[in-house]
Amino acid sequence: MAEALVETPGAAIDDACCVPADGQDGLSGGDSAALAARFKALADPNRLRLLSLVAAGDSGEACVCDLTGPLDLGQPTVSHHLKILVDAGLVTREKRGVWAYYSVVPGALDELAGALSAFGANA
Amino acid sequence: MAEALVETPGAAIDDACCVPADGQDGLSGGDSAALAARFKALADPNRLRLLSLVAAGDSGEACVCDLTGPLDLGQPTVSHHLKILVDAGLVTREKRGVWAYYSVVPGALDELAGALSAFGANA
C-alpha cells in the first residue's frame, strides 16, 4: 500500500487511516479528514464514470485518449477530473509516449469499502 | 431496502443503482449521479464522525443530544450535517419527545461498499 501511494504524496495517509475507532468516540479528526478527502474525490458523477472506465480497461489501465469519448467531455476536463482522482490516491498516472495511462491504485477502493463496512457493522 | 428509503424520497434510487456496469462503457450517467450524491454526503470530516458515532450508539441509534459534545459543534451545525446524511439515505431520523434519534439505514453503507469493491474487482 505504501508503495502505491508514493506517486501521490499529497494524499498519503498512515496505516491507521480508514479504520473507524471502536467505542463511543467514533472516528478521530485526522482519520475522518483523510477519509473525507477520498470520498470528496468520488463525489462527482463524471469522476465515478472515469474511475469505472479506468477499472474496466484492458490490463487494468486506460489511455486518456480513450476516456474523452464515452463521457462527451473535452480532454482538459477529463484530465482535471483524473488529476483529482490521482491526488486522492485512488488512481495512478503513467506517461508513455504522447499519452498518459491511468490505473486504479491496488487496494485503494477495497480500503474505502472496508471503512464503510466497518461503520455498517457497528450499526 | 426500499422500506428503509421511504423516509428519504429525495435520495431514493432504484435497485439498479450502485452496481457498476460490466464492460467498457462503465457506469451510466444516472447510476453515477446517484452514487456521487451519497459520496458527497460522506465527503466531510464532521459528517463521517457523526456517522461513526451514530453507528456506534447503543441499540444502533444515537440521540442528537449526545452528538454535539464529541465534535465540539453547536446543535444547529450538528443537525445540519445530520440532515445531509438523512437526505442521502444513509441515516434515518425519528423524533421521540423533545429529542431526535438517528440510526444508520440498514444496508446503505454495505451497498456503497459493494459498489466500491466492484470497481476494484475490475481493476
Side-chain angles (χ1 to χ4, degrees):
Chain A
M1 189 62 208
E3 295 77 11
L5 284 170
V6 164
E7 293 188 19
T8 57
I13 46 180
D14 64 35
D15 291 339
C17 164
C18 308
V19 180
D22 291 332
Q24 297 295 319
D25 291 337
L27 280 176
S28 74
D31 288 350
S32 60
L35 259 182
R38 293 189 160 200
F39 287 128
K40 191 170 183 177
L42 297 175
D44 178 276
N46 285 322
R47 287 201 289 278
L48 286 175
R49 295 186 70 188
L50 285 169
L51 189 64
S52 73
L53 288 166
V54 169
D58 291 336
S59 309
E61 68 175 15
C63 173
V64 68
C65 56
D66 292 326
L67 296 173
T68 54
L71 273 70
D72 200 20
L73 295 173
Q75 194 179 318
T77 304
V78 167
S79 293
H80 164 77
H81 283 308
L82 287 167
K83 183 178 188 306
I84 291 173
L85 292 172
V86 170
D87 289 346
L90 300 175
V91 163
T92 56
R93 175 185 188 274
E94 185 185 340
K95 191 89 183 285
R96 291 204 300 272
V98 296
W99 296 114
Y101 292 78
Y102 294 85
S103 52
V104 176
V105 171
L109 297 176
D110 283 339
E111 190 183 350
L112 275 182
L116 285 174
S117 294
F119 278 128
N122 292 330
Chain B
M1 190 62 208
E3 294 78 12
L5 285 170
V6 164
E7 292 188 18
T8 58
I13 46 180
D14 64 36
D15 290 338
C17 165
C18 308
V19 180
D22 291 332
Q24 299 294 318
D25 291 337
L27 280 176
S28 73
D31 288 349
S32 60
L35 259 182
R38 293 189 160 200
F39 286 128
K40 191 169 185 180
L42 297 174
D44 179 277
N46 285 322
R47 287 200 289 278
L48 286 175
R49 295 186 71 188
L50 284 169
L51 189 64
S52 73
L53 288 166
V54 169
D58 291 336
S59 310
E61 67 174 16
C63 173
V64 67
C65 56
D66 292 327
L67 296 173
T68 54
L71 272 71
D72 200 20
L73 294 174
Q75 193 180 315
T77 303
V78 167
S79 293
H80 164 76
H81 284 307
L82 288 167
K83 182 177 188 309
I84 290 172
L85 292 172
V86 170
D87 288 346
L90 300 174
V91 162
T92 56
R93 175 184 189 274
E94 184 185 341
K95 192 89 183 287
R96 292 205 299 272
V98 294
W99 296 114
Y101 292 78
Y102 293 86
S103 51
V104 176
V105 171
L109 298 176
D110 284 338
E111 190 182 350
L112 274 183
L116 284 174
S117 295
F119 278 128
N122 292 331

